[in-house]
Amino acid sequence: MLGQQFVTAAAIAASVLFILSLGGLSNQEKAKRAVWYGIVGMGLAVFSVMLGPNIGNYWLMIPLMIVGAVVGTMVAKRVEMTQMPQLVAALHSFVGLAAVFVGWNAEMERARVLALKAAGESLDGLSAFAATLAYKTPAELTFLQVEVVLGVFIGAVTFTGSVIAFGKLAGKIDGKPKKYPGGHALNAGAAILSLVLAIAYLNGAGFWTLLLIALLAFFIGWHLILGIGGADMPVVVSMLNSYSGWAAAAIGFTLSNDLLIVTGALVGSSGAILSYIMCKAMNRNFVSVILGGFGGTQGPAQEIEGEQVSIDAGGVSSALNDADSVIIVPGYGMAVAQAQNAVSELVRKLRSAGKEVRFGIHPVAGRLPGHMNVLLAEAKVPYDIVLEMDEINDDFASTDVVIIIGSNDIVNPAAQEDPNSPIAGMPVLKVWESKQVFVCKRGQGTGYSGIENPLFFKENTRMFYGDARASIDSLIPLID
């Protein structure tokens, strides 16, 4: 009894800490403390379950926890901020696969208990989970089966979807959308067949139905994310975060773990809300994105006139020295080059020279929501000069110089000018309205989504080719 009381109290405390953590992450100044709330809450959750009633096999559990902690520490130390999006996707896949295994195990235990009871054999020696099943009513066991089906299906979709998202974010899989003949019909057919198998399972068809449901869901997750283009990948990461939360909640119901239910619901609902907000910011239809409906071409793209004109550090620094107002637009290229500290130093020199310097941040800049904000905060850039798209978009027309560092799709005028563009209708930073635009870019290739950018060919745009950090470093000594 004492053990259960401890687990209940710890679950409430951990839930409160998780809620405080989520709430604090909405503010940059409170985010560090909010992360610690989450860390303490997770530590409390792990140890409360470990020390709870009917828990054993510590000889196996503790070594596995140590191995997991060591691996997690090593990965965390090696992962750069540029790799954070794919790391998040990879971690989502673990949650999904865990849900599948828990669901399978729960069904095997349920079938075992029913077989023992039917044969009139002793129920001694059962696992703690199986022992609880022995006292459930037929209605409660049916409800458990529903939980198992949902956990296996959602978990399997999350697993393969996250693996594909990881591959696209890491550049191991082409970021362009790819669908096999049949497209959405294949996904719909697999979902309908999964529903038929779920009904058969609930009517006693056996474990094989869960195996087939998992295989079909693996296909849906794989094909679904494969068909979503790079322009929508930040939404995909958030969406998979939501899926992993609901998978965790399903595990919680199966295991009768209140903390998993609460935590999963928090992650699932917050991920869904974030996905919706991001879709709204990108002028996307939420349902269409999660069904793989965006990311492909809508028709022949408009022809681009002009040519890309390059400029050297001397030309850029001269324009900066003459400017009164400067807006910097960072993107994934800044993260790849680890140029945030060089950018911070450039900003310091420009502000010391009396220039007005601000940052324009698109809601989906980088490959993870908030990616650029974290990098700039790490480089000690003042919070008050880092502005969101809605706050700064009307100011470009009165700005002397815009410096774009590794951004592409979020500054692409085709979103507003070309109805056939894959990103047509997506709100973008209207950098082309400024007097001069300088683009720090490695080469003349397209962005992550593979879409050509007419901005690079405009008369007031100059291409500042090279590694972003080296390019910015070359500007700093030239600022008067």
Side-chain angles (χ1 to χ4, degrees):
M1 178 65 73
L2 182 61
Q4 184 57 50
Q5 289 176 343
F6 170 73
V7 171
T8 302
I12 294 172
S15 299
V16 171
L17 287 170
F18 290 149
I19 292 170
L20 290 174
S21 179
L22 278 175
L25 291 175
S26 63
N27 184 294
Q28 287 180 324
E29 296 179 358
K30 298 178 181 178
K32 188 173 182 179
R33 183 171 58 188
V35 169
W36 276 108
Y37 286 147
I39 292 172
V40 174
M42 185 56 67
L44 184 60
V46 170
F47 284 105
S48 67
V49 172
M50 191 178 136
L51 301 176
N54 301 319
I55 300 297
N57 294 327
Y58 291 107
W59 62 271
L60 178 62
M61 183 190 306
I62 292 176
L64 288 175
M65 290 176 62
I66 292 173
V67 170
V70 171
V71 171
T73 302
M74 292 174 60
V75 169
K77 287 184 176 181
R78 292 176 57 186
V79 170
E80 302 287 347
M81 270 303 301
T82 54
Q83 301 170 315
M84 196 59 66
Q86 49 262 48
L87 175 64
V88 171
L91 294 177
H92 291 162
S93 72
F94 296 159
V95 178
L97 194 58
V100 174
F101 287 151
V102 168
W104 284 348
N105 182 71
E107 169 54 24
M108 288 188 287
E109 292 285 77
R110 186 191 72 87
R112 180 187 175 198
V113 169
L114 290 178
L116 289 174
K117 291 177 71 173
E121 298 183 16
S122 172
L123 298 179
D124 295 336
L126 294 176
S127 67
F129 173 71
T132 63
L133 298 181
Y135 300 99
K136 288 185 180 290
T137 65
E140 289 174 330
L141 288 175
T142 298
F143 188 72
L144 173 70
Q145 287 181 284
V146 173
E147 297 163 2
V148 167
V149 168
L150 290 175
V152 169
F153 183 81
I154 298 173
V157 170
T158 303
F159 173 68
T160 50
S162 298
V163 169
I164 296 301
F166 168 82
K168 288 195 173 191
L169 291 166
K172 300 180 183 299
I173 299 176
D174 191 352
K176 295 180 180 180
K178 182 178 181 181
K179 290 187 178 71
Y180 285 90
H184 295 303
L186 286 175
N187 295 334
I192 292 171
L193 185 53
S194 296
L195 179 60
V196 172
L197 289 168
I199 294 172
Y201 165 67
L202 293 175
N203 285 278
F207 183 73
W208 63 271
T209 54
L210 284 182
L211 290 175
L212 290 180
I213 288 172
L215 289 174
L216 289 168
F218 283 148
F219 168 78
I220 292 172
W222 170 76
H223 191 231
L224 191 70
I225 306 305
L226 198 67
I228 299 177
D232 290 327
M233 201 49 59
V235 181
V236 170
V237 174
S238 178
M239 177 188 71
L240 291 169
N241 178 58
S242 178
Y243 288 176
S244 69
W246 298 124
I251 296 174
F253 279 109
T254 301
L255 300 177
S256 299
N257 186 308
D258 295 337
L259 185 55
L260 261 179
I261 295 171
V262 172
T263 305
L266 285 173
V267 174
S269 56
S270 61
I273 292 170
L274 178 59
S275 299
Y276 175 78
I277 292 172
M278 292 173 66
C279 283
K280 188 176 180 181
M282 298 169 67
N283 196 32
R284 297 297 208 211
N285 181 283
F286 179 68
V287 175
S288 294
V289 170
I290 65 174
L291 292 179
F294 278 99
T297 57
Q298 312 299 314
Q302 291 182 355
E303 293 187 7
I304 300 176
E305 298 180 354
E307 61 179 352
Q308 296 185 19
V309 180
S310 63
I311 194 170
D312 59 14
V316 177
S317 62
S318 177
L320 288 172
N321 286 326
D322 292 338
D324 293 319
S325 57
V326 178
I327 295 178
I328 299 175
V329 178
Y332 188 68
M334 185 184 79
V336 171
Q338 290 288 285
Q340 62 269 24
N341 290 310
V343 171
S344 179
E345 177 61 19
L346 176 65
V347 169
R348 188 191 65 78
K349 288 204 69 173
L350 288 171
R351 296 183 79 191
S352 297
K355 319 289 184 184
E356 180 190 27
V357 184
R358 293 174 295 169
F359 286 82
I361 307 295
H362 193 280
V364 294
R367 296 184 186 174
L368 193 70
H371 200 174
M372 296 301 103
N373 301 74
V374 172
L375 286 175
L376 295 175
E378 177 189 26
K380 302 295 189 294
V381 172
Y383 297 137
D384 60 329
I385 66 171
V386 180
L387 305 178
E388 300 298 325
M389 178 178 66
D390 292 341
E391 298 175 297
I392 204 168
N393 230 6
D394 292 336
D395 295 345
F396 284 108
S398 58
T399 299
D400 295 322
V401 171
V402 170
I403 301 180
I404 299 170
I405 307 175
S407 292
N408 197 324
D409 299 321
I410 63 172
V411 293
N412 193 333
Q416 296 187 359
E417 299 171 357
D418 185 0
N420 291 327
S421 172
I423 59 172
M426 184 178 98
V428 292
L429 291 160
K430 296 183 286 189
V431 296
W432 59 89
E433 293 183 352
S434 63
K435 295 178 182 177
Q436 290 179 290
V437 180
F438 299 109
V439 181
C440 291
K441 200 170 182 292
R442 286 184 179 274
Q444 295 186 354
T446 58
Y448 177 63
S449 64
I451 303 170
E452 190 64 81
N453 193 340
L455 171 71
F456 303 156
F457 300 83
K458 289 186 176 292
E459 293 184 0
N460 63 335
T461 298
R462 294 294 181 268
M463 308 301 294
F464 189 24
Y465 292 120
D467 175 81
R469 182 166 63 181
S471 296
I472 299 300
D473 280 338
S474 69
L475 293 176
I476 294 172
L478 303 177
I479 302 300
D480 296 333

